[in-house]
Amino acid sequence: MDINVYSIQKSSNDNFDNEIKGYAKMALKFAKIKDLVFFNDKIAKAQNLGRNEALKAYDELYFSYMNQGYNVVLDEKGKSLDSLEFAKIFELNSRINFFIGGAYGLSEKIKQKADICVSLSAMTMAHKIAKLMLFEQIFRGLCIKAGHPYHK
């Protein structure tokens, strides 16, 4: 199984990154997880211009990655799932793509193109915190699917 996590964020090298890499490494027995971080001059400029320009830049970037696999968009207004429901996502396809928005979230076009829109929480949180939660839940979901005792 291939799992791709796409995020629009400025790169950092902190404890969150180490924890995320740790979950990706532990998950290797179940799936290959790629952490794909995007931030470039075009996105920075678009974000400085405002919400509409930023969302257009995010769309241009993400649409090309939504052509294969099962696409999961993270949004605070998405469907709230418990860990067992979240684990069912891994039964649906051998390639799963998760998309985390930029400073302005994600456009309605991206949300409509996705197979499912999921909320990690109704609260707004920093990207790196949401991403860490996502990686932990991916690992937990893979463990549930495999019958591994981590979930208990």
Side-chain angles (χ1 to χ4, degrees):
M1 177 180 294
D2 289 317
I3 299 171
N4 299 305
V5 177
Y6 299 94
S7 61
I8 297 169
Q9 67 182 60
K10 292 179 183 174
S11 293
S12 66
N13 194 7
D14 56 24
N15 287 337
F16 286 96
D17 289 337
N18 292 334
E19 293 293 324
I20 288 167
K21 288 175 187 170
Y23 281 114
K25 185 177 179 181
M26 289 189 296
L28 275 174
K29 58 186 150 200
F30 308 116
K32 180 180 176 186
I33 304 175
K34 290 182 186 173
D35 180 15
L36 302 150
V37 177
F38 298 96
F39 198 85
N40 56 35
D41 291 339
K42 184 175 184 177
I43 290 172
K45 182 178 178 182
Q47 287 184 163
N48 285 334
L49 292 173
R51 186 180 200 292
N52 289 338
E53 291 302 316
L55 292 176
K56 285 178 192 174
Y58 306 160
D59 286 356
E60 286 178 23
L61 175 67
Y62 278 167
F63 271 133
S64 63
Y65 294 104
M66 297 182 88
N67 293 328
Q68 293 182 345
Y70 190 80
N71 296 304
V72 181
V73 167
L74 298 185
D75 185 83
E76 63 191 16
K77 295 177 184 156
K79 187 173 183 180
S80 181
L81 304 174
D82 65 25
S83 294
L84 295 174
E85 292 168 321
F86 187 80
K88 291 179 182 175
I89 290 172
F90 303 105
E91 298 171 4
L92 301 174
N93 205 305
S94 62
R95 179 182 170 134
I96 302 167
N97 303 309
F98 290 91
F99 295 91
I100 301 172
Y104 291 96
L106 291 168
S107 73
E108 289 304 315
K109 288 180 188 177
I110 291 282
K111 293 175 196 175
Q112 290 171 2
K113 187 169 175 142
D115 295 292
I116 188 170
C117 188
V118 174
S119 172
L120 293 177
S121 171
M123 293 184 268
T124 302
M125 61 186 78
H127 280 75
K128 57 187 174 183
I129 294 170
K131 194 167 166 182
L132 178 58
M133 283 180 61
L134 174 62
F135 270 78
E136 192 280 336
Q137 285 300 303
I138 290 171
F139 178 65
R140 182 178 298 275
L142 291 169
C143 287
I144 290 169
K145 180 181 178 238
H148 187 279
Y150 175 80
H151 178 62
K152 306 223 183 249

